[in-house]
Amino acid sequence: MNQFKGKRLLILGANVTECFIVKRAHELGIYTIVTDNNTDRTKSPAKQISDEYWDISWSDIDSLVSKCNDCGVDGVIAGFSEFRVESQIALCERLNLPCPITMEQLDFTRDKVKFKDVCRIVDLPVVPEFSEIDAFENLPVIVKPVDRAGSIGISVAFTKEELLVACEKAVNASPSGKIIIEKYMDHCIKFDLYYLISNGEVFLLGSNDTLMCPPNKGHEILQSAWIFPSYKQQRFVEKHGEEINKFFKYLNIRNGYITISAFVDENENFFIFETGFRLSGELSFEYTKYAYGYNYLDFLIEFAFRGIQDRNFMLPPKKSEIPLLVLNHYANDGEIVSKKHLSVNCESYWIYDYLKDVNCLHNDNGNGVSKVAMSFIPVESIDKVARIIDSINEELDVIGKDNCSLIYNRITDVELKKLIQ
């Protein structure tokens, strides 16, 4: 990708996750610009490492069009949000720049109802859903906004009272005010699949099984850990791989990175419930770098500059079959009195610490919990992983007022052994 050295890439969003796009673009010699409307740079970490930043909302298309024309922007890429993808589509259309997704495709992939309708058309199995009236007779259920991602506005309801609260919460979190109520898939494994589509050809990059944080009233449904690849990946491909290809063909998706989320029960029945045509918070490019030596951010960055590729994409052969464990580390919102960071120089695993320059934790989505770090641990043995996690739990802490730890959840040995089979 040396042909893009010096090109100017606009990244919509400047959160800590957008830092990964900035860093990879820098490694490729690309000039980076990030934008959001935060004038406090500590709230936009990507502004601290990019070559240039703008204090313009990524949704202010008119202002961005004018600025892009003035500065000679060569490509636009969205960060980790469907709303930014929507802005990417609108901005690229105005600037006549390549974009891997259309607004119609985005509507089908971010709207949980429309998505499940397409799944039914191509014979992909989906999680059962209920009307609000029927939900009272089918508790427990999970209630979601139809058009939000990242666990925002999602709650599990075990009682009628909790169902009423969950519905109100989901409605408030939904831009359209619409919700979906689904069967709570207890005793199932939640897993995700990651696909890269190049010129209409579908590549399965990887998958994972998910460990959820214990349910806690008032908080979102949070993901504690992932194991790559999923132990059910091959079985899913055998049963539903053909239908997945039909799904992408039905929506005429020719290029891009897409996730598919599902549950699997003890009888290996699969139930799909959502998709995302965007970068995802588990940073699955860390797995592809680890397993294949390939960072799929390169594909998305290259597409932002040149559009449809004139060469056939090939996923490199796997260089490691050892599974990868990814941990989320959370802390409750609050004023930080002191904090203990994770070591960055570890031979057997690697981490990303999000606590730098943070003096107060406050999740803008209002769920009371913020991600403070992530750990990536090759699973050479359960005992070795357990020792590493013990070391991480000892090392990482966030202290709030009254000398109380703000750490929200720590993975236990029992949970670890359940996740790593």
Side-chain angles (χ1 to χ4, degrees):
M1 291 180 65
N2 288 337
Q3 69 267 34
F4 301 123
K5 186 174 182 178
K7 291 283 189 179
R8 301 171 75 86
L9 178 67
L10 174 63
I11 302 164
L12 303 181
N15 292 340
V16 66
T17 43
E18 278 72 55
C19 290
F20 296 101
I21 305 174
V22 173
K23 290 174 182 177
R24 183 55 186 162
H26 281 168
E27 291 169 354
L28 300 171
I30 294 166
Y31 185 93
T32 60
I33 306 167
V34 298
T35 189
D36 68 17
N37 59 3
N38 284 329
T39 55
D40 182 353
R41 288 176 59 201
T42 63
K43 295 181 179 179
S44 299
K47 290 184 176 180
Q48 301 176 41
I49 63 171
S50 60
D51 295 298
E52 184 177 338
Y53 67 85
W54 303 339
D55 293 330
I56 303 173
S57 170
W58 39 261
S59 62
D60 185 351
I61 304 302
D62 289 338
S63 296
L64 289 176
V65 167
S66 176
K67 191 75 171 177
C68 287
N69 285 327
D70 290 344
C71 297
V73 165
D74 300 295
V76 178
I77 191 169
F80 293 67
S81 158
E82 268 101 355
F83 294 112
R84 291 177 205 158
V85 173
E86 183 176 348
S87 294
Q88 178 191 15
I89 295 168
L91 186 57
C92 287
E93 184 176 335
R94 294 274 297 275
L95 295 171
N96 196 29
L97 290 173
C99 185
I101 182 173
T102 67
M103 196 66 75
E104 183 180 17
Q105 290 167 340
L106 179 63
D107 286 341
F108 273 103
T109 54
R110 71 175 171 182
D111 185 305
K112 295 175 176 62
V113 173
K114 289 183 178 180
F115 165 68
K116 291 175 73 174
D117 287 342
V118 175
C119 286
R120 294 184 183 100
I121 289 171
V122 299
D123 294 324
L124 283 170
V126 295
V127 172
E129 59 197 68
F130 310 107
S131 67
E132 290 188 46
I133 295 175
D134 291 338
F136 284 106
E137 307 303 323
N138 289 279
L139 296 169
V141 294
I142 186 165
V143 186
K144 312 171 183 177
V146 299
D147 42 14
R148 289 300 297 267
S151 299
I152 297 169
I154 299 177
S155 304
V156 177
F158 293 90
T159 68
K160 293 182 179 181
E161 292 76 17
E162 290 176 356
L163 177 58
L164 295 173
V165 173
C167 289
E168 182 180 4
K169 180 178 180 180
V171 167
N172 291 337
S174 168
S176 66
K178 298 178 181 179
I179 66 174
I180 184 171
I181 304 173
E182 295 178 327
K183 178 180 178 181
Y184 180 54
M185 304 299 288
D186 203 9
H187 308 299
C188 290
I189 297 172
K190 186 255 183 185
F191 78 108
D192 304 300
L193 301 113
Y194 306 92
Y195 293 93
L196 192 69
I197 299 95
S198 175
N199 293 338
E201 189 170 358
V202 179
F203 298 89
L204 177 57
L205 296 173
S207 62
N208 61 47
D209 295 329
T210 308
L211 175 68
M212 309 303 293
C213 290
N216 193 341
K217 287 184 181 180
H219 292 308
E220 308 292 345
I221 307 300
L222 297 173
Q223 299 175 103
S224 176
W226 302 275
I227 186 75
F228 288 82
S230 167
Y231 297 105
K232 300 296 184 180
Q233 175 178 303
Q234 187 56 39
R235 187 61 178 141
F236 180 87
V237 171
E238 291 168 358
K239 293 187 73 172
H240 302 298
E242 185 177 342
E243 289 75 21
I244 287 290
N245 287 331
K246 289 180 181 177
F247 170 82
F248 293 130
K249 187 174 182 179
Y250 181 89
L251 293 180
N252 195 29
I253 295 174
R254 302 284 302 168
N255 294 278
Y257 165 79
I258 298 181
T259 64
I260 300 283
S261 296
F263 291 103
V264 57
D265 66 18
E266 58 186 7
N267 297 317
E268 294 190 328
N269 296 309
F270 295 90
F271 305 89
I272 295 172
F273 63 93
E274 69 180 10
T275 186
F277 206 141
R278 62 176 177 85
L279 292 170
S280 40
E282 79 298 311
L283 310 183
S284 59
F285 49 80
E286 289 294 322
Y287 171 69
T288 62
K289 285 160 54 181
Y290 164 78
Y292 295 98
Y294 175 70
N295 187 338
Y296 62 74
L297 288 179
D298 294 1
F299 179 95
L300 301 178
I301 291 170
E302 181 174 358
F303 193 93
F305 291 131
R306 65 186 295 175
I308 295 175
Q309 303 189 17
D310 56 7
R311 58 182 172 80
N312 292 326
F313 172 82
M314 291 295 295
L315 189 65
K318 259 192 172 182
K319 67 175 189 176
S320 177
E321 295 289 347
I322 297 173
L324 181 70
L325 176 68
V326 181
L327 298 181
N328 272 335
H329 305 287
Y330 298 104
N332 291 300
D333 286 353
E335 183 179 338
I336 298 175
V337 175
S338 64
K339 52 195 173 186
K340 293 165 61 180
H341 295 275
L342 291 171
S343 300
V344 294
N345 298 316
C346 305
E347 293 183 0
S348 55
Y349 68 100
W350 66 100
I351 63 97
Y352 293 119
D353 193 328
Y354 298 161
L355 282 171
K356 183 181 179 182
D357 299 326
V358 175
N359 298 315
C360 184
L361 294 171
H362 177 71
N363 190 314
D364 291 335
N365 296 318
N367 63 11
V369 178
S370 299
K371 186 185 295 189
V372 295
M374 294 181 71
S375 303
F376 301 80
I377 308 170
V379 183
E380 296 174 358
S381 73
I382 291 182
D383 289 341
K384 184 173 182 179
V385 172
R387 290 195 298 271
I388 291 172
I389 291 176
D390 286 342
S391 173
I392 289 171
N393 286 340
E394 246 182 70
E395 194 172 357
L396 176 68
D397 208 352
V398 183
I399 306 301
K401 291 182 177 180
D402 302 322
N403 204 36
C404 292
S405 175
L406 295 177
I407 294 295
Y408 174 68
N409 178 68
R410 298 186 191 273
I411 188 171
T412 66
D413 288 343
V414 173
E415 291 172 326
L416 178 64
K417 290 176 181 178
K418 183 178 178 182
L419 183 63
I420 301 175
Q421 301 179 12

